[in-house]
């Protein structure tokens, strides 16, 4: 595996594209992502904005090693993950990535605690350690008293907080949140965002997709705008001021 | 690890509650059928061969056709008589012949009325010896009938407590309104016919039931037991000639013990084959049921599979979880099926034994049978789950989460 020497870059995309070939003979090409390059620094809080269908989720899935790109190279923590096998990908996302989805995506017949324990199970963490860790994480999102509840016994906001706890289970390098507040009202959403910000302050790198410019501005440090699978603009919050960067 | 997957799988099965049970039902019906019928089949075989083991190898029987193993003399055919007895006696190779009567009579004791088999004991010591030795008759209390006895009977073990007040040696019982003294009680024999019979001297029985020149069964002891089949053929031929019948028209049957046993064994084997066939089909159907449930489960849980992959599950993990689930369906089905099968077997044997009043139909509990039925069910579950599990593990994580 090729190693990159950029100490501070945790996620690096080099001219990454994802094409879907539709129709009987694949005659229609959907260019979900069409050659984007991004460097995400360790500890950054990145917001990705863009209209529906612009390729935000596609990008997240590639970074999260849920999928492989059609072309280009992706580095996660200096490791090229663009050509891994299925089980290597599973290992990478199990160890280094924490996902938070718009639909919470908890497993309905597992309790909150069991949901949080699940990622550690696949890393073969011993049971006692899993339980202890899960309880701590649920404490972090103020849900220790609800740990034996099933998802359908929890509110949307509570479910999303369980999902945050689960995302942190294997102490990941990067937390990827695809519209984490998309299914929540604004005050509940704020609570969830507060937890993400708390993580950010503890040094976790966060990449979050959002539709809402205010959310992006209030919580993120870097904002990427994408449209039709291409990067349209980058702004960085430097000492409280938003500065536009050029797109390379 | 496996233990945790096991708990995950159990959780999933519980979650689908009723549907899991219905799937299990599909498999356990087949297993229950196999276990109960094979357990009973073995019991049936022991029971039936037990009946025949009381026949000695050097004696053959001639009886009216169509009467089978039940009480003879009930069907309307040309009955055997004294003339036939002489005919059989004169066939080359026949040593001694014994005429026998087996009838049903009204028996009264302690003001209760029952119907029982009554068989005769001839008034000829050589014939008596043949009967006693061939049926292994011995008394538990009192003594057996002698040629000089009159107005006396010996009763089978099951008749003792057939009435609300037990019959004892020395008591009087009333048969067809005539008093008889019970002088002996037989030891329980391996054949239920022996346990349920009342033995009385031939003249008494003939008088009691107004029998003149009739014989129900002719027992013929042959001189050389190796020639018994040939002697049987000769007897058949003689009787046919005498009655002017063609081959196939016989209204009587000559049976050698080996022949009888052989027929019964063939029938039992055919029954076993049919049972195994039905069981195989129902297990196949059960397997298809498991496969169907697992496929449905893969479809329903596509998203869940995606989530598990997103949090780090590898293909082999998903495969294992699904295989454990389908294996569990099979295993639980097998265990319940074996239990129910044994229950059914015991139930059937209880009913049969109660109806017949003897322990004729015993259940043979075979641990190898039970273990292999359960293992087989487990294997059916795993095999049925293989394709759905492979399908589940091969799902693309992105597509699964999108669904
Ligand atoms: N598996 C697929 N097959 C075909 N086309 C796909 C597939 N996945 C995504 N696409 C297409 O790729 C494009 C980008 O999709 P993506 O889900 O990344 O958009 P998005 O920016 O997340 O939109 P939204 O804000 O609505 O979630 C869309 O046009 C979509 O139809
Ligand atoms: Mg999206």
């Amino acid at each position: 595996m090729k190693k990159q020497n950029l100490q501070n870059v945790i996620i690096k995309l080099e001219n990454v594209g994802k094409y879907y070939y539709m129709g009987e003979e694949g005659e229609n090409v959907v260019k979900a992502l069409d050659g984007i390059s991004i460097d995400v620094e360790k500890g950054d809080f990145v917001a990705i904005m863009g209209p529906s269908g612009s390729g935000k989720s596609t990008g997240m899935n590639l970074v999260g090693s849920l999928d492989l790109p059609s072309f280009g190279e992706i580095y996660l923590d200096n490791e090229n993950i663009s050509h891994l096998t299925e089980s290597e990908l599973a290992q990478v996302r199990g160890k280094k990535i924490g996902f938070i989805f718009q639909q919470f995506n908890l497993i309905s017949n597992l309790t909150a605690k069991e949901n949080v324990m699940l990622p550690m199970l696949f890393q073969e963490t011993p049971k006692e350690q899993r339980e202890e860790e899960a309880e701590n994480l649920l404490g972090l999102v103020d849900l220790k008293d609800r740990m034996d509840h099933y998802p359908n016994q929890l509110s949307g906001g509570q479910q999303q907080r369980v999902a945050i706890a689960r995302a942190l289970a294997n102490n990941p390098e990067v937390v990827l949140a695809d519209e984490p507040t998309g299914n929540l009202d604004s005050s509940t959403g704020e609570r969830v965002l507060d937890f993400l910000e708390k993580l950010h302050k503890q040094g976790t790198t966060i990449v979050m997709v959002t539709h809402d410019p205010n959310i992006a501005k209030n919580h993120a440090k870097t904002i990427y705008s994408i449209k039709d699978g291409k990067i349209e603009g980058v702004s960085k919050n430097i000492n409280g001021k938003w500065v536009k960067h050029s797109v390379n | 690890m496996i233990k945790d997957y096991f708990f995950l799988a159990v959780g999933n099965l519980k979650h689908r509650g009723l549907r899991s049970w219905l799937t299990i039902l599909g498999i356990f019906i087949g297993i229950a059928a196999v276990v109960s019928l094979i357990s009973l089949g073995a019991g049936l075989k022991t029971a039936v061969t037990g009946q025949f083991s009381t026949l000695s190898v050097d004696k053959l029987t001639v009886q009216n056709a169509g009467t089978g193993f039940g009480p003879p003399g009930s069907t309307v055919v040309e009955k055997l008589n004294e003339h036939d007895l002489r005919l059989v006696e004169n066939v080359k190779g026949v040593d001694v012949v014994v005429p026998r009567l087996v009838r049903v009579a009204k028996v009264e004791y302690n003001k209760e009325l029952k119907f029982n088999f009554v068989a005769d004991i001839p008034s000829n010591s050589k014939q008596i010896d043949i009967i006693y030795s061939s049926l292994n008759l011995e008394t538990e209390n009192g003594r057996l009938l002698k040629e000089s006895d009159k107005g006396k009977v010996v009763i089978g073990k099951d008749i003792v407590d057939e009435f609300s007040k037990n019959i004892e040696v020395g008591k009087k019982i009333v048969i067809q309104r005539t008093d008889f003294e019970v002088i002996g009680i037989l030891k329980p024999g391996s054949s239920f016919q022996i346990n349920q019979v009342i033995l009385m001297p031939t003249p008494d029985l003939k008088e009691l039931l107004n029998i003149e020149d009739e014989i129900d069964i002719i027992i013929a002891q042959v001189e050389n037991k190796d020639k018994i089949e040939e002697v049987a053929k000769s007897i058949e031929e003689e009787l046919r000639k005498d009655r002017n019948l063609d081959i196939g028209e016989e209204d009587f049957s000559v049976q050698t013990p080996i022949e009888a046993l052989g027929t019964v064994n063939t029938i039992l084997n055919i029954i076993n084959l049919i049972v195994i066939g039905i069981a195989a089909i129902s297990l196949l159907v059960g397997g298809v049921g498991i496969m169907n449930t697992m496929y449905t489960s893969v479809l329903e849980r596509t998203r869940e599979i995606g989530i598990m992959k997103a949090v780090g599950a590898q293909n082999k993990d998903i495969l294992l979880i699904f295989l454990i689930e389908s294996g569990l369906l099979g295993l639980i089905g097998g265990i319940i099926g074996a239990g129910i099968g044994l229950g059914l077997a015991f139930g059937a044997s209880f009913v049969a034994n109660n109806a017949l009043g003897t322990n004729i139909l015993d259940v043979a509990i075979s641990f190898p049978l039970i273990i292999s039925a359960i293992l087989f069910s487990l294997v059916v579950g795993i095999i049925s789950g293989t394709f759905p599990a492979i399908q589940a593990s091969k799902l693309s994580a992105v597509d699964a989460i999108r669904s």
Side-chain angles (χ1 to χ4, degrees):
Chain A
M1 264 164 247
K2 242 192 326 185
K3 290 273 175 184
Q4 288 270 309
N5 284 331
L6 291 159
Q7 277 304 313
N8 273 333
V9 175
I10 183 103
I11 303 167
K12 184 178 183 64
L13 273 64
E14 278 177 2
N15 188 32
V16 171
K18 181 76 185 177
Y19 289 3
Y20 291 104
Y21 298 89
M22 311 297 286
E24 301 256 312
E25 279 140 35
E27 64 275 17
N28 295 325
V29 185
V30 178
K31 299 181 176 177
L33 276 185
D34 197 11
I36 64 168
S37 301
I38 288 180
D39 284 351
V40 175
E41 281 175 27
K42 225 174 215 160
D44 202 356
F45 192 149
V46 177
I48 298 178
M49 299 198 51
S52 184
S54 54
K56 306 183 294 292
S57 297
T58 305
M60 293 287 264
N61 292 339
L62 290 177
V63 172
S65 68
L66 276 175
D67 209 355
L68 293 174
S70 306
F71 56 84
E73 308 295 322
I74 304 170
Y75 298 88
L76 183 69
D77 202 14
N78 291 334
E79 181 186 340
N80 191 335
I81 58 164
S82 341
H83 312 285
L84 298 183
T85 64
E86 171 63 35
S87 71
E88 287 167 336
L89 283 175
Q91 284 297 305
V92 169
R93 61 181 173 254
K95 288 197 176 85
K96 299 193 170 171
I97 307 285
F99 280 102
I100 300 167
F101 303 92
Q102 182 175 346
Q103 295 88 351
F104 322 138
N105 279 346
L106 297 176
I107 291 179
S108 58
N109 55 326
L110 297 182
T111 62
K113 184 170 151 188
E114 288 165 342
N115 264 288
V116 179
M117 287 163 68
L118 194 62
M120 296 184 267
L121 170 66
F122 296 122
Q123 298 310 316
E124 309 191 9
T125 312
K127 182 136 194 260
E128 299 73 43
Q129 200 181 326
R130 271 187 275 146
E131 293 196 324
E132 194 188 318
E133 195 68 23
E135 283 171 27
N136 286 341
L137 289 169
L138 284 168
L140 201 73
V141 293
D142 292 343
L143 281 174
K144 205 160 180 173
D145 52 332
R146 298 299 194 113
M147 64 187 184
D148 293 324
H149 288 225
Y150 287 90
N152 63 4
Q153 299 167 331
L154 298 170
S155 74
Q158 289 167 335
Q159 287 187 51
Q160 194 61 304
R161 274 146 61 199
V162 175
I164 292 176
R166 181 181 64 185
L168 300 175
N170 286 322
N171 202 9
E173 307 273 347
V174 180
V175 169
L176 301 176
D178 195 344
E179 307 210 31
T181 58
N183 278 356
L184 302 173
D185 64 59
S186 56
S187 64
T188 323
E190 273 309 314
R191 184 102 200 269
V192 166
L193 288 164
D194 284 344
F195 282 112
L196 287 182
E197 200 149 341
K198 199 163 141 193
L199 289 181
H200 165 60
K201 294 225 168 78
Q202 288 166 3
T204 310
T205 311
I206 297 173
V207 181
M208 173 178 74
V209 170
T210 179
H211 269 117
D212 188 334
N214 290 325
I215 290 180
K217 280 200 177 109
N218 291 340
H219 298 278
K221 295 288 172 285
T222 307
I223 302 176
Y224 284 92
S225 318
I226 52 176
K227 200 180 170 190
D228 297 335
K230 291 198 160 79
I231 306 258
E232 228 188 11
V234 192
S235 334
K236 283 191 188 275
N237 186 332
I238 296 170
N239 299 324
K241 283 207 161 160
W242 285 98
V243 182
K244 264 201 193 306
H245 281 236
S246 61
V247 185
N248 36 15
Chain B
M1 275 313 269
I2 295 274
K3 207 174 96 200
D4 296 309
Y5 288 177
F6 189 81
F7 283 117
L8 269 183
V10 170
N12 284 327
L13 293 179
K14 271 198 198 149
H15 187 67
R16 277 173 288 145
L18 180 63
R19 244 176 321 145
S20 297
W21 285 116
L22 289 177
T23 311
I24 289 169
L25 184 78
I27 196 105
F28 84 52
I29 290 176
I31 295 289
V34 183
V35 170
S36 65
L37 291 165
I38 292 182
S39 304
L40 273 185
L44 201 62
K45 205 161 187 159
T46 328
V48 174
T49 45
Q51 298 291 315
F52 282 88
S53 66
T54 54
L55 293 175
S56 328
V57 287
D58 62 346
K59 293 177 190 69
L60 46 81
T61 57
V62 183
Q63 45 181 307
N64 295 311
T67 51
F69 303 114
S74 43
T75 27
V76 203
V77 286
E78 194 181 328
K79 296 210 170 131
L80 295 168
N81 55 26
E82 215 47 49
H83 167 74
D84 299 314
L85 186 69
R86 296 282 92 79
L87 203 78
V88 173
E89 193 175 24
N90 291 328
V91 169
K92 194 166 164 281
V94 174
D95 186 9
V96 188
V97 288
V98 186
R100 302 230 50 204
L101 289 167
V102 183
R103 295 293 161 100
V104 175
K106 251 190 287 182
V107 181
E108 221 181 307
Y109 180 68
N110 195 32
K111 301 207 173 62
E112 276 176 75
L113 193 70
K114 301 263 159 147
F115 285 89
N116 280 100
F117 292 125
V118 181
D120 68 327
I121 294 295
S123 339
N124 166 318
S125 64
K126 197 169 179 195
Q127 292 181 334
I128 291 180
D129 281 349
I130 289 180
I131 291 175
Y132 287 170
S133 71
S134 73
L135 293 174
N136 273 326
L137 293 185
E138 281 177 73
T139 51
E140 198 172 66
N141 285 311
R143 60 166 177 91
L144 290 169
L145 288 168
K146 289 192 302 214
E147 58 213 279
S148 56
D149 284 326
K150 203 173 175 342
K152 303 199 161 88
V153 291
V154 169
I155 62 173
K157 182 72 185 151
D158 289 347
I159 296 184
V160 172
D161 52 9
E162 195 181 44
F163 297 88
S164 49
K165 196 169 154 213
N166 282 5
I167 302 176
E168 284 159 29
V169 173
K171 293 271 175 215
K172 289 234 169 337
I173 59 174
V174 183
I175 304 176
Q176 301 282 123
R177 300 205 194 83
T178 310
D179 279 0
F180 283 88
E181 187 197 343
V182 177
I183 59 156
I185 293 167
L186 293 174
K187 274 192 182 161
S190 54
S191 146
F192 71 92
Q193 290 143 340
I194 289 172
N195 296 335
Q196 295 185 326
V197 80
I198 296 175
L199 299 173
M200 68 167 68
T202 311
D204 285 342
L205 182 58
K206 285 194 161 172
E207 198 186 316
L208 206 62
L209 296 173
N210 276 325
I211 301 166
E212 287 182 354
D213 188 13
E214 274 176 34
I215 296 171
D216 293 330
I217 305 169
I218 298 172
I219 298 173
Q221 177 159 323
V222 296
E223 285 159 359
N224 179 351
K225 69 176 184 329
D226 298 331
K227 295 244 168 76
I228 194 163
E229 298 293 334
E230 287 162 43
V231 177
K233 286 238 159 56
S234 311
I235 293 174
E236 231 174 77
E237 221 164 90
E238 286 298 320
L239 278 172
R240 218 164 28 225
K241 241 196 285 173
D242 182 64
R243 294 179 173 202
N244 237 332
L245 297 169
D246 283 335
I247 293 181
E249 280 181 355
E250 298 90 346
D251 54 2
F252 60 89
S253 73
V254 181
Q255 272 197 318
T256 61
I258 296 134
E259 218 175 49
L261 209 57
T263 318
V264 172
N265 271 339
T266 317
I267 293 170
L268 286 179
N269 284 340
I270 291 172
I271 293 175
N272 261 355
L273 271 183
I274 293 173
V275 164
I276 289 169
I278 293 172
I281 292 170
S282 61
L283 281 177
L284 187 74
V285 172
V288 172
I290 291 185
M291 196 182 284
N292 180 47
T293 301
M294 293 310 294
Y295 267 122
T296 318
S297 172
V298 172
L299 286 184
E300 275 177 342
R301 283 154 65 196
T302 300
R303 191 184 187 84
E304 191 182 308
I305 294 163
I307 299 167
M308 289 205 276
K309 287 195 159 190
V311 300
Q314 297 179 33
N315 289 1
K316 66 170 171 57
D317 299 319
I318 306 285
L319 187 76
L320 207 58
I321 291 172
F322 273 77
L323 280 183
I324 292 175
E325 269 178 50
S326 67
L328 270 178
L329 286 175
L331 184 68
I332 297 170
I335 292 171
I336 296 179
I340 290 186
L342 280 182
L344 281 178
F346 277 112
S349 108
F350 180 78
V351 169
N353 290 347
N354 257 9
L356 296 172
T358 32
N359 289 337
I360 172 171
L361 193 55
D362 268 341
V363 178
I365 298 186
S366 147
F367 282 103
L369 167 71
I370 293 169
I371 300 292
S372 40
I374 292 174
L375 284 184
F376 185 75
S377 181
L378 171 69
V379 169
V380 168
I382 291 174
I383 290 176
S384 313
T386 301
F387 284 108
I390 289 176
Q391 188 184 323
S393 73
K394 288 254 168 80
L395 280 178
S396 129
V398 197
D399 294 344
I401 286 193
R402 264 178 185 279
S403 69

